[in-house]
Amino acid sequence: MLSNLWLLIAIPAASAAVLLLAGRKADRWGHWLGVLAPAASFVLGLIAFFGLRDLPGRAAEQTLWTFFKSGDMTIDFGLLFDPLTAVFVLLITGVGSLIHLYAVGYMAHDEGRRRFFGYFNLFVAAMLLLVLGNNYVMLYLGWEGVGLASYLLISFWYNRPSAATAGKKAFLMNRVGDAGFAIAIFLMLAQLGTVNYNQVFSQVGALTTGTVLVLGLLLLLGACGKSGQFPLQAWLPDAMEGPTPVSALIHAATMVTAGVYLIARSNPIFSANSTLQLIVVSVGALTLLMGCIIGAAKDDIKRVLAWSTVSQIGYMFLGVGLGGGAYALAIIHLLAHGFFKANMFLGAGSVMHGMQDQVDIRRFGGLAKYMKITWLTFMMGWLAIIGLPPLSGFFTKEPIIAAAFEQHDAWKSWVFGGAALLGAGLTAFYMTRLFVLTFHGPKRWTDGQHPHESPAVMWIPLVLLAIGSVVAGGLMASPVAKWLEPPLPAAPAEEVHGVLGHTAITVLSLVLTVLGAGLAWALFRRGTALEPQPAGPVVRAARANLYTDAFNEAVFEKPGSWLTRALVYVDNKGIDGVVNGLAALVGGGSGRLRRLQTGFVRSYALSMLAGGVLVLGALLAVRLG
Amino acid sequence: MVNLLLLWTLAVPLAGAAIVAVLPDRTGRKLACYVALLTLGLAALPVMWRKAGMWLEMDWAWVPAFGLRMHLGVDGISYPLVLLTALLTVLCCGYTLWHTPEPGRGNVLSSLLLLIEAGILATFLAQDLVLFFIAFEVVLLPMAAVIAVWGGPARRRAALKFALYTLAGSVLLLVGVIAVVSLTGSGDMTRVPALSATAQMWIFGVFAFAFAVKSPLWPLHTWLPDAHTEAPTVGSVILAGVLLKMGTYGLIRVGMGLTPDAFRQAAPVLGVLAVCAIIVGSLVCLAQTELKRLIAYSSVGHMGFILLGIATGSTIGLQAALVGNIAHGVLTGLLFFLAGAIKDRSHTGQLTELGGLREQAPWLAGMIGFAALGSLGLPGLAGFWGEAFAIVAAWSRGGPLWTTLAIVAAIGGALAAAYLLRLLRKVSHGPLAPSLEGVHDARWPEVVAWVPLIILAVLLGLLPVLIIDPAAGAALISEAVGK
């Protein structure tokens, strides 16, 4: 398998092509083909994974063809399968297959189900390309590919204007980040003449500090765009316009974590500059708090989960920013998050399925009795994300908080450790609010609701993901950390003694978690008001996404549209006006111009002939003279 | 015998044009397709003689009295453009066979297309400056006629503007040609003529102006949106697909080839203007309200990348320009085909009057989606490589100016996504517009014209090396077949 890695990508890509080109004939069986493709890649991925364990050096590389060649610079279609790629491949195809299966049921009544699976398979292929490449251009190929699939799937219900706009917003904000990433690639090509991971990393030492900083910041910009991190977080919650399986797979479990992959993959660049690491950590800490605060003020079940994703990825950024052994911690949290967040998104979809697409948590309540499986599986996800032992989140989030406290500078420990710790409490609060308002308390349904459990094709994936949410963290915590080094750096041998001990941090975070959850339970167990209530400035700001959208509009959109309009004016009146004036002048006034126009072809032919004679005459003169 | 191949490549469409013009309408259009196909076959053959330098060359004293030589040659720079020209002509003749715009007389339209083809091919094949100039001029008249006769409501004005603009360029080109021939006594383009620095400066100046109008380089681009908006579909396709490339090709072959020192000195100016074209073209696109006008302005931006690549004067920049030329021809050709198909159906190009195409004609909408994604530089499709490596080339030149240009160009490239997605949202998404109610989806003859371009867009996206290095491409294919 390790010599045929391309099959991993080719299978879902081929399936996507079939689904999108086959036409209505394929409507009856298309979705099963769509499920089969990622499942097949999962099996092949497993084979490759086990093959890798026995391979000396634990990395398989192959080059399929050359894209571009100029002098010494060669850009190949090259693949790399190493421990970091392996865990991503398994996450993408494993969780991906379950979500595909779920979508068979979820999209059963949608006319466009075949098209949906076509796009969904396209996404899987692009995401695999992203993690399987052996150079930055390959990564960029997949990067743009997943962006495309995300755009297509967010605006899947294309006749909804809000969906089309959200799709566009997602693609454009991603493009801002992508421009940063692209410029980083251009910088590598211009300065190092290569984009191959190994060659770039081996030359990082030769670059100046400033160049490394710029390179890292550009990569970080790309990562922030894809992963919905500050300042490019605004698109992710809007992306919830797409069908729920899309939110689960793309906007929770896999695509949005590509930024974490990018930074982890580029760890030799990021580890080479401490300012850079400080910036990554700051982005992570800021975003994780933002996500918590905004998530606590939202009433749309999917948007709460979306902001929670923003916040959890903030933890991952915090991890990769801390560097050293924390790279692996971030990846492990990413894997565990893939399980529990996909589980909760699919659970939300199941709730919506039973409640006629209602998404407002103020309009739920008491659903535990009507949707037992969804309730239980969602509960596992909820307990996992708030970090209650012995569920996943406890084993994966806890170490990141601890690592944040173990820095050389005391102020950094307090600031970032404190943020991570505070985030844990807030997470417990807003997730408990979500859980209680949805499944417990009095019914606040709109008229004519008959909630019911979803069909087996939907709850089987839920159960499997719930099991993953319970056990994945505990099982993965230490073996995966070892498995990932190299390519990720090992934890330094000398222990840094943080400002707080391990036990203290664990106790503190558990106390905060219980406090947050308890507070939410007490506040919301009797339900909530159906209308937005007057609130203090913090809540109002949180409802308005901390005014980040308003900021973007005022600073980028408005001046942008003024600029474009001004340019059109200059183009039409300025440049073209001069030309038209000249034309009129040459033509001897407008009357002459009109006459020229009426007999246009004839007079043009004549002037052409005259011109020709002139040319020949001139040449003759030159020759003879 | 082999040497005559290039002459045949020109003679076949030229003779075809003459015969097609006098035949009855339908017969003429059919014959035009065969002629175009035959030309494509002939144009493809030189790949069998590929090597470093000139692949095939012929040199006759044609009209010795004027020093005019029939000096033709094909090499790695001209071959992809020759092939693209021949391919697009086949597609346009085929499209005309199925659908002739008002006022009919498709045989004349096909004949003009063949004439244009002959002129463009001669431009790409000419190795003699005087021959180059004549070929460059031959294209002008039939193209203006295509716009003036088969175009939209404001066709005459657009055709006149096109003609006046390019004529102004031509006059300067002529001055340059005469200057070179009179100073060196030869118009041989395969050798660098011995010109003084001052002479080079002046001659390059007039050449650059002529080619800048054709490409078009900002701020000499204002003929392009009008010409594109009014031209019939096939006219727009040829115009965007290959006619603009005469400008960029001329800049490489004539500007860089004959006046290399002046070119090097002027490079920063060219680079700045090219980046202006990228930014202004993209920003203006954002505010456009007409479908074909928007695509026309996008051409200004895309051609800016090609010109930036050329301006760097480095190997990698030229390779990028080469790839960009072909990619832009394929993708913008496809976009104009699709925009024409939409306008033919809805009878309006106003974006506000369009919408919901996805629902009414999913295949058509799918294809325009594909073309837009290609055009916005999605990696994996043809548009990406030329633009990316134009930026790399600029950056590799080093220094604050070129680094800035590279970064600004990269940002401009990202803007392409904004206006093309806006286009898709206006045309394909949302509720169905009244103008599109009841329109039919893509028809077979249309699909036949479009699919080769779609295939090329994917193929060149995955294997841009085919354009840069046909030899490498051939090796790759034989390797694949060998397996």
Side-chain angles (χ1 to χ4, degrees):
Chain A
M1 184 55 223
L2 286 169
S3 51
N4 283 309
L5 292 169
W6 59 274
L7 272 174
L8 287 170
I9 303 165
I11 292 172
S15 164
V18 169
L19 290 171
L20 292 175
L21 296 175
R24 301 229 165 271
K25 293 183 293 288
D27 275 358
R28 283 192 312 153
W29 47 265
H31 46 280
W32 292 116
L33 175 67
V35 176
L36 216 57
S41 283
F42 177 64
V43 173
L44 294 181
L46 270 181
I47 296 171
F49 174 76
F50 286 114
L52 199 60
R53 287 202 312 189
D54 312 325
L55 201 69
R58 294 193 312 151
E61 219 169 335
Q62 65 181 119
T63 299
L64 270 77
W65 70 77
T66 300
F67 277 129
F68 200 94
K69 204 170 144 79
S70 175
D72 297 338
M73 183 191 295
T74 310
I75 294 173
D76 291 325
F77 188 102
L79 300 174
L80 166 71
F81 195 83
D82 70 353
L84 182 61
T85 298
V87 296
F88 269 91
V89 166
L90 292 182
L91 173 75
I92 295 159
T93 54
V95 173
S97 299
L98 292 178
I99 298 175
H100 275 69
L101 180 64
Y102 174 95
V104 170
Y106 191 83
M107 300 299 287
H109 305 296
D110 198 293
E111 271 181 54
R113 181 163 67 169
R114 176 180 49 81
R115 184 167 56 93
F116 175 84
F117 274 95
Y119 295 161
F120 229 28
N121 280 182
L122 176 70
F123 167 76
V124 173
M127 189 72 202
L128 288 170
L129 187 65
L130 192 159
V131 296
L132 275 164
N134 77 346
N135 63 58
Y136 280 99
V137 168
M138 291 290 290
L139 205 168
Y140 189 71
L141 271 169
W143 190 268
E144 292 290 287
V146 293
L148 166 66
S150 155
Y151 161 75
L152 291 169
L153 284 162
I154 294 170
S155 47
F156 179 75
W157 285 309
Y158 49 84
N159 39 17
R160 284 189 200 168
S162 60
T165 309
K168 200 181 81 157
K169 184 174 178 184
F171 199 87
L172 290 182
M173 291 204 84
N174 265 297
R175 257 325 251 217
V176 174
D178 295 355
F181 184 17
I183 295 174
I185 295 176
F186 300 146
L187 176 68
M188 287 177 207
L189 283 171
Q191 299 256 335
L192 304 172
T194 180
V195 284
N196 188 284
Y197 292 145
N198 292 331
Q199 291 169 11
V200 170
F201 300 153
S202 64
Q203 293 183 65
V204 167
L207 294 172
T208 62
T209 320
T211 311
V212 174
L213 180 62
V214 169
L215 183 61
L217 285 177
L218 289 167
L219 290 173
L220 175 64
L221 185 63
C224 286
K226 198 56 98 196
S227 294
Q229 299 293 290
F230 183 82
L232 296 173
Q233 77 290 353
W235 66 271
L236 185 55
D238 284 12
M240 300 301 127
E241 288 289 342
T244 307
V246 174
S247 314
L249 178 58
I250 300 183
H251 305 117
T254 54
M255 183 189 88
V256 289
T257 58
V260 183
Y261 173 79
L262 175 63
I263 298 179
R265 178 57 84 190
S266 315
N267 67 75
I269 298 176
F270 283 87
S271 301
N273 188 307
S274 57
T275 316
L276 193 55
Q277 287 185 309
L278 180 62
I279 294 170
V280 179
V281 170
S282 309
V283 167
L286 182 63
T287 316
L288 87 86
L289 286 178
M290 263 181 83
C292 290
I293 292 167
I294 299 175
K298 293 286 165 183
D299 296 316
D300 177 322
I301 185 167
K302 283 177 74 180
R303 292 199 182 220
V304 177
L305 290 174
W307 283 109
S308 141
T309 305
V310 169
S311 163
Q312 293 298 312
I313 298 173
Y315 275 105
M316 299 171 207
F317 268 59
L318 185 67
V320 288
L322 290 169
Y327 280 112
L329 301 180
I331 298 297
I332 295 165
H333 188 53
L334 187 159
L335 297 173
H337 175 257
F339 280 100
F340 61 67
K341 191 50 73 64
N343 170 25
M344 281 191 286
F345 261 115
L346 296 187
S350 175
V351 168
M352 287 160 60
H353 199 73
M355 292 290 280
Q356 301 176 4
D357 284 332
Q358 177 64 266
V359 290
D360 190 340
I361 51 174
R362 291 171 303 195
R363 288 298 187 171
F364 295 148
L367 290 177
K369 211 161 65 182
Y370 300 89
M371 323 176 90
K372 283 235 158 51
I373 301 171
T374 306
W375 168 62
L376 273 172
T377 54
F378 201 99
M379 185 192 289
M380 294 306 126
W382 161 58
L383 293 174
I385 194 174
I386 66 174
L388 203 76
L391 281 81
S392 274
F394 174 75
F395 293 102
T396 61
K397 192 165 61 176
E398 207 59 51
I400 296 182
I401 301 175
F405 271 110
E406 282 172 4
Q407 300 187 69
H408 286 290
D409 298 323
W411 70 269
K412 281 189 201 163
S413 300
W414 284 116
V415 170
F416 299 118
L421 206 51
L422 182 61
L426 288 171
T427 305
F429 175 80
Y430 74 80
M431 285 310 301
T432 309
R433 170 175 176 266
L434 180 72
F435 182 74
V436 173
L437 284 179
T438 304
F439 291 103
H440 297 277
K443 300 170 189 170
R444 303 172 302 277
W445 311 341
T446 47
D447 294 337
Q449 295 280 24
H450 304 284
H452 55 83
E453 188 53 86
S454 297
V457 70
M458 287 169 70
W459 65 250
I460 291 170
L462 277 179
V463 170
L464 293 173
L465 286 169
I467 295 172
S469 310
V470 176
V471 301
L475 288 182
M476 288 189 306
S478 59
V480 175
K482 261 195 227 86
W483 165 256
L484 284 173
E485 65 177 79
L488 298 183
E494 42 119 16
E495 285 257 326
V496 179
H497 289 287
V499 286
L500 286 177
H502 265 244
T503 328
I505 294 167
T506 309
V507 170
L508 258 178
S509 95
L510 280 179
V511 166
L512 277 171
T513 301
V514 170
L515 272 179
L519 182 66
W521 196 285
L523 278 173
F524 297 107
R525 80 195 149 89
R526 284 193 209 86
T528 184
L530 299 181
E531 299 305 322
Q533 298 298 302
V538 177
V539 176
R540 279 209 306 275
R543 282 179 188 161
N545 300 343
L546 300 178
Y547 303 116
T548 48
D549 287 355
F551 177 83
N552 285 343
E553 192 178 332
V555 175
F556 298 110
E557 288 175 33
K558 282 274 168 59
S561 81
W562 291 333
L563 181 64
T564 56
R565 264 180 259 151
L567 277 173
V568 171
Y569 184 83
V570 169
D571 218 70
N572 289 341
K573 293 282 150 44
I575 300 168
D576 209 27
V578 170
V579 171
N580 284 336
L582 274 179
L585 213 66
V586 170
S590 56
R592 177 76 190 285
L593 201 66
R594 218 174 299 124
R595 236 174 308 138
L596 226 149
Q597 278 173 14
T598 44
F600 177 74
V601 175
R602 207 174 320 133
S603 50
Y604 183 77
L606 270 178
S607 49
M608 188 74 190
L609 189 68
V613 171
L614 204 73
V615 174
L616 292 180
L619 284 172
L620 205 57
V622 167
R623 278 267 123 186
L624 299 178
Chain B
M1 212 33 225
V2 164
N3 290 345
L4 286 180
L5 177 65
L6 298 179
L7 197 60
W8 278 109
T9 314
L10 300 182
V12 168
L14 214 52
I19 301 170
V20 166
V22 296
L23 285 177
D25 189 349
R26 194 164 170 78
T27 324
R29 281 187 281 159
K30 252 190 204 158
L31 180 67
C33 293
Y34 292 125
V35 172
L37 270 173
L38 180 59
T39 315
L40 176 62
L42 289 172
L45 283 179
V47 77
M48 292 163 63
W49 289 276
R50 66 179 179 277
K51 59 181 185 211
M54 214 44 95
W55 297 357
L56 282 181
E57 201 175 353
M58 61 165 288
D59 191 1
W60 283 356
W62 190 12
V63 190
F66 300 142
L68 179 55
R69 305 188 69 82
M70 180 53 82
H71 187 176
L72 301 174
V74 64
D75 64 2
I77 298 177
S78 47
Y79 180 73
L81 288 163
V82 166
L83 212 53
L84 178 69
T85 309
L87 175 70
L88 283 181
T89 310
V90 170
L91 301 182
C92 285
C93 284
Y95 191 81
T96 307
L97 181 62
W98 173 72
H99 171 81
T100 307
E102 290 299 315
R105 303 201 49 195
N107 61 321
V108 182
L109 180 57
S110 297
S111 159
L112 288 173
L113 288 175
L114 290 176
L115 190 60
I116 295 172
E117 179 186 28
I120 300 178
L121 288 178
T123 310
F124 292 147
L125 293 177
Q127 301 299 331
D128 181 271
L129 205 49
V130 181
L131 185 65
F132 176 86
F133 173 74
I134 293 174
F136 202 82
E137 289 312 289
V138 163
V139 179
L140 185 56
L141 175 62
M143 193 67 226
V146 167
I147 300 173
V149 177
W150 286 272
R155 55 186 178 271
R156 299 251 158 158
R157 218 186 95 79
L160 181 69
K161 198 164 168 182
F162 168 72
L164 285 177
Y165 239 114
T166 36
L167 205 59
S170 302
V171 170
L172 289 171
L173 182 58
L174 177 61
V175 170
V177 169
I178 289 175
V180 172
V181 173
S182 61
L183 285 175
T184 65
S186 152
D188 189 349
M189 288 160 61
T190 53
R191 275 176 308 183
V192 182
L195 290 167
S196 70
T198 332
Q200 275 208 28
M201 211 60 216
W202 283 102
I203 291 171
F204 176 75
V206 292
F207 279 155
F209 191 88
F211 297 133
V213 168
K214 203 73 160 192
S215 303
L217 181 59
W218 185 85
L220 300 171
H221 64 282
T222 60
W223 62 271
L224 182 84
D226 284 336
H228 268 310
T229 315
E230 297 306 325
T233 302
V234 289
S236 301
V237 172
I238 294 290
L239 197 56
V242 281
L243 211 115
L244 307 183
K245 278 58 182 189
M246 290 165 57
T248 47
Y249 175 82
L251 204 57
I252 298 176
R253 186 70 93 194
V254 179
M256 220 171 143
L258 300 186
T259 50
D261 301 332
F263 176 87
R264 261 195 297 282
Q265 283 184 326
V269 180
L270 268 182
V272 170
L273 290 178
V275 171
C276 282
I278 296 169
I279 294 291
V280 174
S282 307
L283 286 175
V284 168
C285 270
L286 278 173
Q288 285 304 325
T289 53
E290 214 270 349
L291 183 58
K292 285 178 88 175
R293 235 183 143 72
L294 195 159
I295 301 171
Y297 267 106
S298 83
S299 279
V300 176
H302 290 309
M303 294 305 285
F305 279 103
I306 297 171
L307 289 161
L308 177 64
I310 297 173
T312 63
S314 58
T315 313
I316 182 165
L318 289 181
Q319 288 176 331
L322 216 54
V323 175
N325 263 336
I326 303 299
H328 176 261
V330 169
L331 288 166
T332 310
L334 180 60
L335 267 177
F336 272 117
F337 260 132
L338 294 162
I342 292 171
K343 263 184 107 165
D344 285 344
R345 286 164 168 78
S346 64
H347 304 291
T348 177
Q350 292 301 320
L351 291 177
T352 47
E353 295 169 19
L354 294 169
L357 186 69
R358 182 74 197 64
E359 204 156 338
Q360 182 70 36
W363 285 102
L364 188 54
M367 279 189 261
I368 198 162
F370 174 87
L373 291 171
S375 187
L376 67 77
L378 193 78
L381 296 178
F384 170 69
W385 301 100
E387 305 198 349
F389 282 90
I391 297 169
V392 173
W395 204 322
S396 303
R397 280 209 50 166
L401 173 72
W402 289 98
T403 308
T404 313
L405 288 181
I407 292 171
V408 176
I411 294 167
L415 285 175
Y419 63 76
L420 284 161
L421 291 188
R422 176 171 161 266
L423 183 151
L424 285 188
R425 191 172 55 104
K426 296 273 186 192
V427 174
S428 293
H429 297 235
L432 186 64
S435 66
L436 285 169
E437 259 166 38
V439 303
H440 52 80
D441 207 339
R443 293 271 160 90
W444 276 114
E446 294 178 308
V447 174
V448 169
W450 301 338
V451 162
L453 296 176
I454 293 177
I455 293 173
L456 264 183
V458 175
L459 187 69
L460 297 179
L462 294 176
L463 289 170
V465 74
L466 283 180
I467 302 175
I468 312 163
D469 189 357
L476 189 97
I477 290 162
S478 63
E479 197 180 312
V481 174
K483 269 182 197 167

